[in-house]
Amino acid sequence: MKVVLQRVTSAQVSIDDQIVGQIQAGYVLLVGVADGDTATDIAYLVRKISQLRVFEDDQGRMNLSIQAIDGAILSISQFTLFAETKKGNRPSFTKAGEPAFARTMYAQFNAALREVGLPVETGEFGADMAVSLVNDGPVTILFDTNDK
């Protein structure tokens, strides 16, 4: 799995001009799934994301977790994280998970985040979505379960 995490002050996702998910302070997660991903990958990501300390404390240091600031997550499925761009100018997405498998893993990932007490809003898997956010910092971090 690959996850791009962005610390935000606010974010929302819309489908056909209708807001389907919205948060204030927290993370926007762009989530990509490959066919070889497992429940172990989900557990690893949930632990890393929920315990990541990138919010500022009273001294201005990145020392607080999302839970410490009562933040929320906006999770967006993103198969294009697996784009291969080495050849030509048109990306290939063959390393992205098959849609049925990826949909299940994405749902399990979001459920696991909720199980640790994080509020999670989502887009719609496979939909054409418009995501808007105010990136705070900016702080953007890439997680890849192949690099754990």
Side-chain angles (χ1 to χ4, degrees), residues 3-42:
V3 174
V4 175
L5 175 150
Q6 295 179 303
R7 185 179 75 180
V8 300
T9 56
S10 64
Q12 69 181 35
V13 59
S14 301
I15 300 171
D16 296 327
D17 295 321
Q18 298 293 317
I19 297 172
V20 297
Q22 186 171 359
I23 65 167
Q24 293 303 309
Y27 299 142
V28 168
L29 304 179
L30 304 177
V31 182
V33 176
D35 283 329
D37 292 333
T38 66
T40 302
D41 295 317
I42 290 173

Side-chain angles (χ1 to χ4, degrees), residues 20-106:
V20 297
Q22 186 171 359
I23 65 167
Q24 293 303 309
Y27 299 142
V28 168
L29 304 179
L30 304 177
V31 182
V33 176
D35 283 329
D37 292 333
T38 66
T40 302
D41 295 317
I42 290 173
Y44 168 79
L45 288 168
V46 168
R47 181 177 53 79
K48 294 298 281 186
I49 291 166
S50 65
Q51 296 177 13
L52 187 68
R53 298 183 333 181
V54 295
F55 292 95
E56 293 180 357
D57 63 16
D58 292 340
Q59 281 103 27
R61 294 184 184 156
M62 288 197 294
N63 199 28
L64 300 176
S65 71
I66 189 170
Q67 292 167 320
I69 64 133
D70 293 323
I73 289 175
L74 178 60
S75 176
I76 307 294
S77 61
Q78 188 73 49
F79 76 93
T80 61
L81 292 177
F82 285 95
E84 291 185 42
T85 58
K86 289 182 182 178
K87 293 183 180 179
N89 295 316
R90 186 173 181 205
S92 168
F93 302 106
T94 58
K95 290 191 177 180
E98 289 297 318
F101 175 74
R103 179 188 307 266
T104 299
M105 290 293 287
Y106 173 67

